[in-house]
Amino acid sequence: MKKPKVAFICVHNSCRSQIAEALGKHLASDVFESYSAGTETKPQINQDAVRLMKELYGIDMEKTQYSKLITDIPEPDIAISMGCDVGCPFIGRAFDDNWKLEDPTGKTDDDFRVVIQQIEKNILELKKK
């Protein structure tokens, strides 16, 4: 059976959605394919997110990931919004879920860790479905 494609979406595709893509690949690649995208892009992935993902999981997001638009990824079977505190991106369809995660950009490492842990928990939940 083909694995479903899960897209993690937020406006800039530089922080939360990138973390979700990395953790999806790391923890659930046996169950679903993980992608991330945004309605706008940033020149680079959030550097605090990159540093903490290396520290916590040994994952170098910059090796395999970059900020991309929704049109740059395959059509997802499941689309998940990271949280609409910045403004909800329009992706041409309804989201299957909204994880309502606060954007930790510009905040402390502890704020980042809270978001990363929540994403890990959500990925593991999604894996069970």
Side-chain angles (χ1 to χ4, degrees):
M1 199 177 95
K2 245 177 84 181
K3 288 190 271 190
K5 293 175 178 63
V6 178
F8 302 102
I9 314 288
C10 60
V11 174
H12 295 117
N13 188 220
S14 66
C15 189
R16 293 166 294 174
S17 53
Q18 292 285 353
I19 293 166
E21 178 183 351
L23 287 177
K25 288 175 176 169
H26 184 65
L27 301 168
S29 60
D30 54 329
V31 179
F32 56 81
E33 292 177 27
S34 296
Y35 299 90
S36 69
T39 46
E40 300 168 26
T41 58
K42 288 276 192 198
Q44 65 177 13
I45 299 174
N46 181 297
Q47 293 300 291
D48 291 319
V50 169
R51 178 174 51 80
L52 286 164
M53 288 296 286
K54 269 186 202 157
E55 195 180 289
L56 297 168
Y57 301 95
I59 297 170
D60 183 352
M61 293 195 296
E62 290 183 308
K63 265 199 178 130
T64 55
Q65 292 172 220
Y66 58 93
S67 185
K68 53 209 164 304
L69 297 170
I70 289 156
T71 49
D72 298 334
I73 63 169
E75 176 130 350
D77 300 299
I78 299 167
I80 296 172
S81 163
M82 294 290 97
C84 293
D85 56 331
V86 182
C88 245
F90 176 72
I91 60 164
R93 57 168 274 195
F95 284 104
D96 296 290
D97 199 358
N98 176 0
W99 285 358
K100 297 183 172 79
L101 299 164
E102 271 190 50
D103 186 357
T105 300
K107 296 184 181 165
T108 68
D109 282 4
D110 285 339
D111 290 319
F112 267 89
R113 284 192 189 94
V114 167
V115 170
I116 291 169
Q117 283 168 346
Q118 188 59 54
I119 291 172
E120 178 178 339
K121 190 171 151 250
N122 290 355
I123 296 278
L124 293 172
E125 279 300 307
L126 190 61
K127 188 177 172 177
K128 289 181 204 163
K129 287 183 180 171

